[in-house]
Amino acid sequence: MLVHGQPYRTLWMTDDATVRIIDQRRLPWSFELLDLRSVADVAHAIRDMAVRGAGLIGATAAHGMALAAREAASPAELQRLALELTATRPTAVNLAWAVNRQLAAVAAAGFEKRVAVTLAEARRVADEDAAMCAAIGRHGLEVIRGIANQKPGRVVNVLTHCNAGWLAFVDHGSATSPVYAAHAAGIPVHVWVDETRPRSQGARLTAWELGQQGVPHTVIPDNTGGHLMQHGLVDLVITGADRVTRGGDVANKIGTYLKALAARDNGIPFYVALPSSTFDDTLTDGLREIPIEQRGEDEVTHLEGVAADGSVQTVRIVPEGSPAANYGFDVTPARLVTGLITERGITAPGLPGPE
Ligand code: MRU
Protein backbone atom coordinates (compact mmCIF):
# COMPACT_ATOMS: atom_id res chain seq x y z
CA MET A 1 0.00 0.00 0.00
CA LEU A 2 1.04 3.64 -0.22
CA VAL A 3 3.31 5.52 2.17
CA HIS A 4 3.74 9.16 1.16
CA GLY A 5 2.52 8.06 -2.29
CA GLN A 6 5.10 5.24 -2.66
CA PRO A 7 4.06 1.55 -2.70
CA TYR A 8 5.42 -0.50 0.20
CA ARG A 9 5.11 -3.93 1.75
CA THR A 10 5.59 -4.32 5.50
CA LEU A 11 8.66 -6.57 5.12
CA TRP A 12 11.00 -7.89 2.48
CA MET A 13 14.42 -9.50 2.07
CA THR A 14 17.08 -6.97 1.02
CA ASP A 15 19.57 -9.77 0.43
CA ASP A 16 19.76 -13.40 1.49
CA ALA A 17 20.73 -12.49 5.04
CA THR A 18 18.75 -9.35 5.87
CA VAL A 19 15.04 -8.90 6.53
CA ARG A 20 13.85 -5.29 6.31
CA ILE A 21 10.70 -4.25 8.17
CA ILE A 22 8.70 -1.10 8.82
CA ASP A 23 9.30 -0.42 12.52
CA GLN A 24 5.73 -0.10 13.79
CA ARG A 25 6.87 1.10 17.23
CA ARG A 26 7.75 4.42 15.60
CA LEU A 27 4.45 4.98 13.75
CA PRO A 28 2.77 7.36 13.31
CA TRP A 29 5.41 9.75 14.65
CA SER A 30 8.00 8.66 12.11
CA PHE A 31 8.33 6.17 9.24
CA GLU A 32 11.47 4.11 9.84
CA LEU A 33 12.79 0.89 8.36
CA LEU A 34 14.69 -1.61 10.49
CA ASP A 35 17.05 -4.40 9.39
CA LEU A 36 16.88 -7.81 11.09
CA ARG A 37 20.01 -9.92 10.63
CA SER A 38 19.62 -12.80 13.07
CA VAL A 39 16.98 -15.01 14.64
CA ALA A 40 17.49 -13.05 17.86
CA ASP A 41 16.72 -9.80 15.98
CA VAL A 42 13.54 -11.34 14.53
CA ALA A 43 12.40 -12.75 17.87
CA HIS A 44 12.93 -9.38 19.54
CA ALA A 45 11.07 -7.54 16.75
CA ILE A 46 8.03 -9.82 17.17
CA ARG A 47 8.04 -9.77 20.98
CA ASP A 48 8.54 -6.01 21.20
CA MET A 49 5.92 -5.45 18.47
CA ALA A 50 8.13 -3.72 15.91
CA VAL A 51 6.08 -6.07 13.73
CA ARG A 52 2.67 -7.19 14.92
CA GLY A 53 -0.68 -8.42 13.61
CA ALA A 54 -1.27 -12.12 12.97
CA GLY A 55 -0.41 -12.21 9.27
CA LEU A 56 2.75 -10.14 9.58
CA ILE A 57 3.91 -12.07 12.65
CA GLY A 58 3.63 -15.23 10.53
CA ALA A 59 5.42 -13.73 7.52
CA THR A 60 8.19 -12.33 9.73
CA ALA A 61 8.64 -15.72 11.42
CA ALA A 62 8.87 -17.37 7.97
CA HIS A 63 11.68 -14.92 7.12
CA GLY A 64 13.22 -15.53 10.54
CA MET A 65 13.41 -19.22 9.64
CA ALA A 66 15.39 -18.29 6.53
CA LEU A 67 17.90 -16.61 8.86
CA ALA A 68 17.72 -19.64 11.18
CA ALA A 69 18.66 -21.90 8.28
CA ARG A 70 21.93 -19.93 7.90
CA GLU A 71 22.62 -20.01 11.64
CA ALA A 72 21.85 -23.68 12.25
CA ALA A 73 24.62 -26.22 11.76
CA SER A 74 22.37 -29.20 12.56
CA PRO A 75 18.69 -30.18 12.42
CA ALA A 76 18.56 -30.00 16.23
CA GLU A 77 19.86 -26.43 16.14
CA LEU A 78 17.22 -25.51 13.54
CA GLN A 79 14.50 -26.95 15.82
CA ARG A 80 15.85 -24.91 18.75
CA LEU A 81 15.76 -21.68 16.70
CA ALA A 82 12.24 -22.54 15.50
CA LEU A 83 11.15 -22.85 19.13
CA GLU A 84 12.79 -19.51 19.93
CA LEU A 85 10.59 -17.90 17.28
CA THR A 86 7.33 -19.64 18.22
CA ALA A 87 7.80 -18.67 21.88
CA THR A 88 7.67 -14.94 21.12
CA ARG A 89 3.86 -14.45 21.17
CA PRO A 90 1.23 -17.08 21.98
CA THR A 91 -2.13 -16.07 20.49
CA ALA A 92 -1.72 -15.56 16.73
CA VAL A 93 -1.63 -19.05 15.21
CA ASN A 94 0.03 -17.72 12.03
CA LEU A 95 3.33 -17.75 13.92
CA ALA A 96 3.47 -21.51 14.52
CA TRP A 97 1.86 -22.08 11.12
CA ALA A 98 4.70 -20.27 9.34
CA VAL A 99 7.48 -21.88 11.39
CA ASN A 100 6.04 -25.37 10.90
CA ARG A 101 5.65 -24.74 7.18
CA GLN A 102 9.35 -23.91 6.99
CA LEU A 103 10.33 -26.98 9.04
CA ALA A 104 8.23 -29.17 6.74
CA ALA A 105 9.86 -27.62 3.65
CA VAL A 106 13.35 -28.37 5.03
CA ALA A 107 12.32 -31.89 6.01
CA ALA A 108 11.02 -32.54 2.48
CA ALA A 109 14.08 -31.10 0.68
CA GLY A 110 16.82 -32.31 3.03
CA PHE A 111 18.78 -30.34 5.64
CA GLU A 112 21.64 -29.54 3.25
CA LYS A 113 19.23 -27.52 1.05
CA ARG A 114 17.86 -25.56 4.01
CA VAL A 115 19.14 -22.09 3.04
CA ALA A 116 17.70 -22.02 -0.48
CA VAL A 117 14.49 -23.79 0.55
CA THR A 118 13.63 -21.48 3.44
CA LEU A 119 14.42 -18.36 1.40
CA ALA A 120 12.06 -19.47 -1.36
CA GLU A 121 9.40 -20.48 1.16
CA ALA A 122 9.62 -17.13 3.00
CA ARG A 123 9.04 -15.30 -0.27
CA ARG A 124 6.10 -17.60 -1.03
CA VAL A 125 4.54 -16.99 2.40
CA ALA A 126 4.78 -13.21 1.84
CA ASP A 127 3.36 -13.36 -1.67
CA GLU A 128 0.53 -15.68 -0.63
CA ASP A 129 -0.31 -13.44 2.33
CA ALA A 130 -0.62 -10.43 0.02
CA ALA A 131 -2.68 -12.40 -2.51
CA MET A 132 -5.03 -13.78 0.19
CA CYS A 133 -5.61 -10.30 1.58
CA ALA A 134 -6.35 -8.92 -1.89
CA ALA A 135 -8.93 -11.71 -2.38
CA ILE A 136 -10.47 -10.93 1.04
CA GLY A 137 -10.90 -7.38 -0.26
CA ARG A 138 -12.72 -8.56 -3.38
CA HIS A 139 -15.15 -10.72 -1.37
CA GLY A 140 -15.71 -8.14 1.36
CA LEU A 141 -16.32 -5.45 -1.24
CA GLU A 142 -19.56 -7.21 -2.19
CA VAL A 143 -20.81 -6.93 1.42
CA ILE A 144 -20.09 -3.20 1.43
CA ARG A 145 -21.60 -2.81 -2.04
CA GLY A 146 -24.78 -4.55 -0.87
CA ILE A 147 -25.15 -2.10 2.01
CA ALA A 148 -24.33 0.87 -0.25
CA ASN A 149 -27.07 -0.20 -2.65
CA GLN A 150 -29.57 -0.03 0.21
CA LYS A 151 -28.67 3.58 1.02
CA PRO A 152 -27.92 5.20 -2.34
CA GLY A 153 -25.87 8.38 -2.20
CA ARG A 154 -25.12 7.95 1.51
CA VAL A 155 -21.89 6.96 3.19
CA VAL A 156 -21.36 3.37 4.39
CA ASN A 157 -20.00 3.46 7.96
CA VAL A 158 -17.68 0.60 8.94
CA LEU A 159 -16.44 0.15 12.49
CA THR A 160 -13.15 -1.66 13.06
CA HIS A 161 -11.09 -2.57 16.11
CA CYS A 162 -7.30 -2.66 16.50
CA ASN A 163 -5.24 -2.76 13.31
CA ALA A 164 -6.22 -5.47 10.88
CA GLY A 165 -4.88 -3.33 8.07
CA TRP A 166 -1.95 -3.78 5.70
CA LEU A 167 0.39 -3.11 8.61
CA ALA A 168 -0.89 -6.33 10.21
CA PHE A 169 -0.04 -8.32 7.06
CA VAL A 170 2.38 -8.08 4.17
CA ASP A 171 -0.04 -5.95 2.13
CA HIS A 172 -3.74 -4.88 1.84
CA GLY A 173 -4.84 -6.10 5.30
CA SER A 174 -7.81 -8.26 6.24
CA ALA A 175 -10.49 -6.01 7.77
CA THR A 176 -9.34 -2.96 5.82
CA SER A 177 -8.96 -4.73 2.48
CA PRO A 178 -12.72 -4.55 1.66
CA VAL A 179 -12.67 -0.89 2.70
CA TYR A 180 -9.79 -0.13 0.35
CA ALA A 181 -11.58 -2.03 -2.41
CA ALA A 182 -14.81 -0.08 -1.80
CA HIS A 183 -12.93 3.22 -1.75
CA ALA A 184 -11.21 2.32 -5.03
CA ALA A 185 -14.60 1.33 -6.52
CA GLY A 186 -16.00 4.79 -5.74
CA ILE A 187 -18.32 3.66 -2.95
CA PRO A 188 -18.48 6.38 -0.29
CA VAL A 189 -17.10 4.70 2.82
CA HIS A 190 -16.09 6.00 6.25
CA VAL A 191 -14.35 4.06 9.03
CA TRP A 192 -14.90 4.43 12.77
CA VAL A 193 -11.48 3.53 14.18
CA ASP A 194 -11.47 2.20 17.76
CA GLU A 195 -8.37 3.65 19.45
CA THR A 196 -7.65 0.16 20.91
CA ARG A 197 -6.07 0.61 24.29
CA PRO A 198 -3.67 -0.23 25.69
CA ARG A 199 -1.27 -0.09 22.73
CA SER A 200 -3.48 2.15 20.59
CA GLN A 201 -3.07 0.19 17.36
CA GLY A 202 -6.27 1.81 16.03
CA ALA A 203 -5.35 5.38 16.88
CA ARG A 204 -1.72 5.01 15.84
CA LEU A 205 -1.69 2.50 12.99
CA THR A 206 -5.16 2.12 11.44
CA ALA A 207 -5.75 5.87 11.40
CA TRP A 208 -2.29 6.39 9.85
CA GLU A 209 -2.72 3.83 7.11
CA LEU A 210 -6.28 4.91 6.22
CA GLY A 211 -5.00 8.49 6.05
CA GLN A 212 -2.15 7.46 3.74
CA GLN A 213 -4.69 5.86 1.34
CA GLY A 214 -7.08 8.84 1.60
CA VAL A 215 -9.93 6.88 3.22
CA PRO A 216 -12.24 9.03 5.40
CA HIS A 217 -12.09 7.91 9.03
CA THR A 218 -12.67 9.05 12.60
CA VAL A 219 -10.80 7.80 15.67
CA ILE A 220 -13.08 7.04 18.62
CA PRO A 221 -12.41 6.02 22.22
CA ASP A 222 -12.94 2.29 22.65
CA ASN A 223 -16.22 2.77 24.54
CA THR A 224 -17.97 4.75 21.78
CA GLY A 225 -19.04 2.00 19.37
CA GLY A 226 -22.18 0.95 21.26
CA HIS A 227 -23.49 4.50 21.31
CA LEU A 228 -22.85 4.91 17.58
CA MET A 229 -24.64 1.64 16.84
CA GLN A 230 -27.68 2.67 18.89
CA HIS A 231 -27.94 5.83 16.79
CA GLY A 232 -27.70 4.18 13.36
CA LEU A 233 -24.17 5.42 12.69
CA VAL A 234 -22.59 2.00 12.07
CA ASP A 235 -23.65 -0.11 9.06
CA LEU A 236 -21.31 -3.01 9.70
CA VAL A 237 -18.38 -4.08 11.85
CA ILE A 238 -15.32 -5.75 10.29
CA THR A 239 -12.47 -6.95 12.50
CA GLY A 240 -9.49 -9.20 11.95
CA ALA A 241 -8.58 -12.36 13.86
CA ASP A 242 -5.53 -13.90 15.50
CA ARG A 243 -6.90 -17.43 15.69
CA VAL A 244 -10.23 -18.96 14.63
CA THR A 245 -11.33 -22.39 15.81
CA ARG A 246 -12.97 -25.09 13.75
CA GLY A 247 -16.37 -23.93 14.97
CA GLY A 248 -15.70 -20.25 14.24
CA ASP A 249 -14.80 -18.82 17.67
CA VAL A 250 -12.61 -15.78 17.05
CA ALA A 251 -9.65 -14.60 19.11
CA ASN A 252 -8.85 -10.98 18.34
CA LYS A 253 -7.61 -7.86 20.12
CA ILE A 254 -9.06 -7.31 23.58
CA GLY A 255 -12.40 -5.49 23.30
CA THR A 256 -13.55 -7.22 20.12
CA TYR A 257 -16.09 -9.31 22.09
CA LEU A 258 -17.80 -6.20 23.47
CA LYS A 259 -18.18 -4.82 19.93
CA ALA A 260 -19.74 -8.11 18.81
CA LEU A 261 -22.22 -8.00 21.70
CA ALA A 262 -23.20 -4.43 20.90
CA ALA A 263 -23.55 -5.28 17.20
CA ARG A 264 -25.84 -8.24 18.01
CA ASP A 265 -27.99 -6.08 20.31
CA ASN A 266 -28.41 -3.53 17.54
CA GLY A 267 -28.92 -5.93 14.62
CA ILE A 268 -25.69 -4.83 12.93
CA PRO A 269 -23.69 -7.36 10.87
CA PHE A 270 -20.40 -8.36 12.53
CA TYR A 271 -17.86 -9.76 10.05
CA VAL A 272 -14.42 -11.19 10.72
CA ALA A 273 -11.87 -11.07 7.90
CA LEU A 274 -9.01 -13.57 7.88
CA PRO A 275 -6.74 -15.56 5.59
CA SER A 276 -6.93 -19.34 5.93
CA SER A 277 -3.55 -19.29 7.75
CA THR A 278 -5.44 -17.92 10.80
CA PHE A 279 -7.67 -21.00 11.20
CA ASP A 280 -6.66 -23.46 13.91
CA ASP A 281 -8.53 -26.64 13.03
CA THR A 282 -7.10 -28.43 16.06
CA LEU A 283 -9.29 -26.39 18.45
CA THR A 284 -13.03 -26.66 19.05
CA ASP A 285 -13.66 -24.40 22.06
CA GLY A 286 -12.12 -20.97 21.65
CA LEU A 287 -12.82 -19.79 25.19
CA ARG A 288 -11.09 -22.73 26.82
CA GLU A 289 -8.40 -23.55 24.31
CA ILE A 290 -7.01 -20.38 22.72
CA PRO A 291 -4.00 -19.10 24.68
CA ILE A 292 -4.46 -15.44 25.59
CA GLU A 293 -1.32 -13.33 25.79
CA GLN A 294 -0.81 -11.21 28.88
CA ARG A 295 1.66 -8.38 28.49
CA GLY A 296 3.39 -5.98 30.85
CA GLU A 297 1.54 -3.52 33.11
CA ASP A 298 3.50 -0.60 31.66
CA GLU A 299 1.44 -0.75 28.43
CA VAL A 300 -1.65 0.07 30.53
CA THR A 301 -0.11 2.46 33.03
CA HIS A 302 1.77 4.57 30.45
CA LEU A 303 0.97 6.23 27.12
CA GLU A 304 3.31 7.39 24.36
CA GLY A 305 2.60 10.50 22.30
CA VAL A 306 4.06 13.60 20.70
CA ALA A 307 4.53 16.72 22.78
CA ALA A 308 3.98 20.25 21.46
CA ASP A 309 7.73 20.56 20.75
CA GLY A 310 7.58 17.48 18.50
CA SER A 311 9.42 15.16 20.89
CA VAL A 312 8.01 11.68 21.52
CA GLN A 313 7.27 11.28 25.21
CA THR A 314 5.90 8.60 27.50
CA VAL A 315 3.68 9.63 30.40
CA ARG A 316 2.19 7.71 33.33
CA ILE A 317 -1.63 7.88 33.42
CA VAL A 318 -2.47 5.87 36.58
CA PRO A 319 -1.42 6.49 40.18
CA GLU A 320 1.96 5.17 41.31
CA GLY A 321 1.38 1.77 42.90
CA SER A 322 -1.97 0.93 41.25
CA PRO A 323 -1.67 -2.51 39.65
CA ALA A 324 -2.85 -3.00 36.06
CA ALA A 325 -3.93 -6.04 34.03
CA ASN A 326 -3.07 -6.35 30.36
CA TYR A 327 -4.91 -9.15 28.55
CA GLY A 328 -3.99 -8.84 24.88
CA PHE A 329 -6.92 -10.68 23.30
CA ASP A 330 -10.44 -11.95 23.91
CA VAL A 331 -12.61 -14.59 22.27
CA THR A 332 -15.83 -13.77 20.42
CA PRO A 333 -18.05 -16.87 20.27
CA ALA A 334 -19.07 -18.01 16.78
CA ARG A 335 -22.75 -17.32 17.55
CA LEU A 336 -22.03 -13.56 17.47
CA VAL A 337 -20.24 -13.64 14.10
CA THR A 338 -22.31 -12.93 10.98
CA GLY A 339 -19.70 -14.18 8.55
CA LEU A 340 -16.05 -15.01 8.04
CA ILE A 341 -14.53 -13.25 5.03
CA THR A 342 -11.66 -15.39 3.73
CA GLU A 343 -9.71 -15.50 0.49
CA ARG A 344 -12.07 -18.26 -0.65
CA GLY A 345 -15.28 -16.32 -0.04
CA ILE A 346 -17.68 -15.63 2.81
CA THR A 347 -18.93 -18.34 5.10
CA ALA A 348 -21.01 -18.55 8.26
CA PRO A 349 -18.83 -19.66 11.18
CA GLY A 350 -18.94 -23.38 11.81
CA LEU A 351 -19.76 -24.22 8.21
CA PRO A 352 -17.18 -25.50 5.72
CA GLY A 353 -15.67 -22.62 3.74
CA PRO A 354 -16.43 -22.11 0.05
CA GLU A 355 -14.02 -23.95 -2.22
O1 MRU B 1 -1.24 -7.26 19.45
P1 MRU B 1 -1.35 -7.12 17.97
O2 MRU B 1 -1.19 -5.70 17.50
O3 MRU B 1 -0.45 -8.07 17.22
O4 MRU B 1 -2.82 -7.54 17.67
C1 MRU B 1 -3.33 -7.44 16.37
C2 MRU B 1 -4.76 -7.80 16.29
O5 MRU B 1 -5.39 -8.16 17.25
C3 MRU B 1 -5.35 -7.80 14.94
O6 MRU B 1 -6.70 -7.43 14.98
C4 MRU B 1 -5.23 -9.22 14.44
O7 MRU B 1 -3.89 -9.62 14.36
C5 MRU B 1 -5.97 -9.48 13.24
S1 MRU B 1 -5.30 -8.77 11.79
C6 MRU B 1 -3.94 -9.72 11.43
Side-chain angles (χ1 to χ4, degrees):
M1 301 297 286
L2 298 179
V3 179
H4 308 310
Q6 296 292 318
Y8 271 91
R9 281 184 167 189
T10 50
L11 95 164
W12 63 96
M13 282 276 185
T14 61
D15 58 49
D16 289 0
T18 306
V19 181
R20 187 162 289 168
I21 60 163
I22 297 171
D23 189 344
Q24 300 194 19
R25 296 166 301 187
R26 307 282 171 249
L27 289 171
W29 334 125
S30 67
F31 180 75
E32 293 176 25
L33 304 178
L34 179 68
D35 284 349
L36 311 176
R37 294 196 173 85
S38 65
V39 173
D41 283 354
V42 171
H44 183 260
I46 296 173
R47 190 177 281 114
D48 206 41
M49 296 175 65
V51 288
R52 30 68 49 205
L56 181 56
I57 291 170
T60 309
H63 285 68
M65 284 299 291
L67 303 187
R70 290 181 161 271
E71 290 175 32
S74 66
E77 179 69 357
L78 189 65
Q79 286 286 348
R80 190 191 66 70
L81 293 169
L83 279 178
E84 188 176 325
L85 288 171
T86 42
T88 50
R89 295 192 71 190
T91 303
V93 74
N94 306 60
L95 175 54
W97 169 85
V99 169
N100 289 336
R101 181 167 158 167
Q102 286 283 33
L103 288 173
V106 172
F111 185 70
E112 63 291 348
K113 300 219 178 89
R114 66 194 177 282
V115 172
V117 162
T118 53
L119 263 177
E121 198 66 16
R123 292 198 171 103
R124 254 194 302 277
V125 166
D127 288 346
E128 286 174 16
D129 176 282
M132 287 191 288
C133 285
I136 287 168
R138 290 192 291 276
H139 296 303
L141 166 62
E142 297 314 317
V143 175
I144 295 178
R145 199 194 299 282
I147 293 170
N149 288 342
Q150 286 164 22
K151 48 185 304 196
R154 291 175 29 230
V155 172
V156 176
N157 286 298
V158 180
L159 185 141
T160 194
H161 191 70
C162 194
N163 174 261
W166 76 276
L167 291 171
F169 288 90
V170 174
D171 211 346
H172 306 291
S174 56
T176 56
S177 191
V179 170
Y180 292 135
H183 184 66
I187 296 171
V189 63
H190 163 265
V191 183
W192 296 110
V193 178
D194 282 355
E195 65 173 339
T196 319
R197 281 282 288 146
R199 281 194 66 114
S200 309
Q201 289 96 328
R204 292 180 60 156
L205 303 177
T206 305
W208 180 80
E209 65 161 89
L210 290 172
Q212 291 291 323
Q213 317 311 314
V215 175
H217 62 279
T218 307
V219 179
I220 49 174
D222 285 329
N223 307 325
T224 308
H227 169 78
L228 296 175
M229 292 181 201
Q230 287 172 323
H231 290 272
L233 295 169
V234 178
D235 294 301
L236 79 162
V237 180
I238 313 179
T239 74
D242 287 85
R243 195 184 290 236
V244 175
T245 64
R246 200 171 344 153
D249 296 338
V250 173
N252 193 49
K253 183 53 57 191
I254 192 80
T256 303
Y257 170 52
L258 290 176
K259 294 295 132 64
L261 282 176
R264 174 56 56 90
D265 193 44
N266 289 281
I268 291 165
F270 182 94
Y271 285 95
V272 175
L274 70 154
S276 52
S277 50
T278 303
F279 281 107
D280 185 344
D281 287 339
T282 68
L283 304 187
T284 49
D285 183 338
L287 267 178
R288 286 174 199 273
E289 294 176 307
I290 297 177
I292 300 296
E293 179 178 17
Q294 291 189 54
R295 296 182 62 87
E297 290 187 24
D298 55 319
E299 292 181 353
V300 179
T301 56
H302 291 71
L303 262 183
E304 188 182 72
V306 179
D309 66 0
S311 63
V312 177
Q313 296 186 5
T314 300
V315 295
R316 166 177 272 277
I317 59 165
V318 306
E320 286 280 1
S322 286
N326 188 3
Y327 295 89
F329 302 89
D330 60 24
V331 174
T332 298
R335 65 188 157 77
L336 297 178
V337 178
T338 308
L340 302 171
I341 308 172
T342 77
E343 74 276 10
R344 288 173 294 192
I346 302 177
T347 178
L351 297 177
E355 292 308 319

